[in-house]
Amino acid sequence: MSWQAYVDQSLIGTGNIDKAAIFNSEGNSVWATSAGFTVSPQEMAEVVSAFKDTADVKKVQSTGLHVAGEKFIVLKADDRSLYGKKGKEGIVIVKTKQALLVTHYPEHVQPGSAANTVEQLADYLISVNY
C-alpha cells in the first residue's frame, strides 16, 4: 500500500479523521498528505522536539502545540503520542519507528474514535518495521 493510500483509506476513509499527513520520523519529509493540510517546517520541528526531549514535552503541555496554523491545547504527551484539542476538534500525532502520523479530527468525531484509528495504524506500521 502506498503512503497516500494510508492517508486516504486507513485514516480519512474511516470517517474519524478529516485531515492527515505522514512524515518521516525527523519531520522533514512529507510522505503523503490530504488536500489542503499543510504542516509548516517550524510546526514539525516543535512536534519532533516534543518526542525527543522531556523538557519539550513539558513545554508543549503548558504552551500548546501548533499544527496547520492552529494552536491546540495538549491533553496527552508521551514518547509515542501527542493529543491536542481546540474546542471540539483536535489532533492526534503518533510516532512509529520511521514515521510520524499527524492527523486532525472534526467536531462531530469522538476523540477516542480518532485516537483509536491513528493508534491502530501506528501499531500496524510498527509491526511491519515502519
Side-chain angles (χ1 to χ4, degrees):
M1 189 180 283
S2 73
W3 292 112
Q4 191 61 50
Y6 285 120
V7 167
D8 296 341
Q9 296 166 20
S10 301
L11 295 170
I12 295 174
T14 66
N16 293 327
I17 301 297
D18 64 348
K19 302 173 197 168
I22 301 175
F23 289 81
N24 69 338
S25 62
E26 294 303 310
N28 57 14
S29 177
V30 183
W31 292 351
T33 188
S34 58
F37 189 57
T38 305
V39 183
S40 75
Q42 296 85 357
E43 292 169 338
M44 281 310 298
E46 195 177 339
V47 167
V48 169
S49 76
F51 282 117
K52 286 186 175 179
D53 188 346
T54 332
D56 284 338
V57 168
K58 301 281 186 221
K59 180 183 171 197
V60 298
Q61 286 178 315
S62 63
T63 62
L65 191 63
H66 296 86
V67 173
E70 296 187 60
K71 182 178 178 180
F72 295 86
I73 303 303
V74 175
L75 304 174
K76 175 185 177 184
D78 59 32
D79 60 354
R80 175 185 160 113
S81 307
L82 296 169
Y83 294 1
K85 201 134 165 78
K86 177 184 173 198
K88 293 183 179 180
E89 63 184 272
I91 55 169
V92 177
I93 302 171
V94 183
K95 183 177 183 182
T96 69
K97 293 176 184 176
Q98 298 181 42
L100 287 167
L101 309 177
V102 181
T103 67
H104 177 275
Y105 62 89
E107 289 184 4
H108 66 275
V109 172
Q110 291 295 319
S113 298
N116 285 341
T117 296
V118 184
E119 296 281 0
Q120 285 175 3
L121 177 57
D123 288 342
Y124 169 74
L125 291 174
I126 290 166
S127 77
V128 294
N129 292 316
Y130 271 100

